């Protein structure tokens, strides 16, 4: 998103991060419930996530911790490996018009929020 790492850290730290996760198979309601309640990983229990099923094998997941490869590890823990992951938002920053690999300038006001 940026080469300005201090700004990037400030935007990511403590903010919700949203992703679309394409997973193998179609998670059951029980698997989705586990993701929502928190999953035990090798580095401890995750905080509850906001999870919704978009379509078969596609989940919208919002987390606020941001551990290393957290969404991938959470999905694997409930039996559904991630095959594709697309970040949809970081905190208040979201732009559905951006295509993969593209960028846009942020105003100072957007960086401060």
């Amino acid at each position: 998103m940026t080469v300005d790492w201090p700004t990037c850290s400030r935007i990511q730290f403590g903010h919700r991060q949203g992703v679309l996760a394409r997973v193998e198979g179609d998670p059951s309601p029980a698997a989705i419930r586990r993701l929502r309640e928190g999953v035990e990983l090798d580095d401890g229990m995750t905080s509850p996530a906001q999870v919704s099923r978009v379509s078969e094998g596609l989940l919208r997941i919002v987390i606020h911790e941001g551990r290393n490869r957290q969404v991938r590890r959470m999905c694997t823990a409930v039996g559904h490996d991630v095959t594709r992951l697309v970040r949809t938002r970081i905190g208040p920053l979201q732009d559905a018009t951006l295509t993969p690999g593209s960028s846009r300038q942020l105003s100072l006001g957007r960086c401060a929020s």
Side-chain angles (χ1 to χ4, degrees):
M1 272 190 108
T2 181
V3 294
D4 179 358
W5 294 116
T7 299
C8 184
S9 293
R10 190 175 71 245
I11 290 170
Q12 287 185 4
F13 182 75
H15 285 95
R16 295 179 188 268
Q17 300 172 41
V19 297
L20 285 174
R22 170 74 57 199
V23 297
E24 293 179 352
D26 193 26
S28 67
I32 292 172
R33 184 173 45 255
R34 284 185 59 203
L35 292 169
R36 288 179 179 156
E37 293 173 353
V39 177
E40 184 69 39
L41 300 177
D42 59 350
D43 56 351
M45 192 76 166
T46 65
S47 293
Q50 295 175 0
V51 182
S52 60
R53 182 180 180 271
V54 177
S55 63
E56 185 175 329
L58 184 63
L59 301 175
R60 182 179 314 279
I61 302 174
V62 179
I63 61 171
H64 68 272
E65 291 176 296
R67 296 185 203 176
N68 185 40
R69 300 176 57 87
Q70 180 176 342
V71 170
R72 290 182 185 276
R73 294 187 301 138
M74 288 171 63
C75 290
T76 296
V78 299
H80 297 277
D81 289 341
V82 172
T83 58
R84 180 163 165 75
L85 196 63
V86 177
R87 187 181 310 249
T88 58
R89 77 177 226 204
I90 298 177
L93 303 178
Q94 178 175 323
D95 190 342
T97 64
L98 285 178
T99 58
S102 65
S103 64
R104 70 175 176 91
Q105 293 289 324
L106 293 177
S107 67
L108 288 176
R110 290 291 289 175
C111 290
S113 59

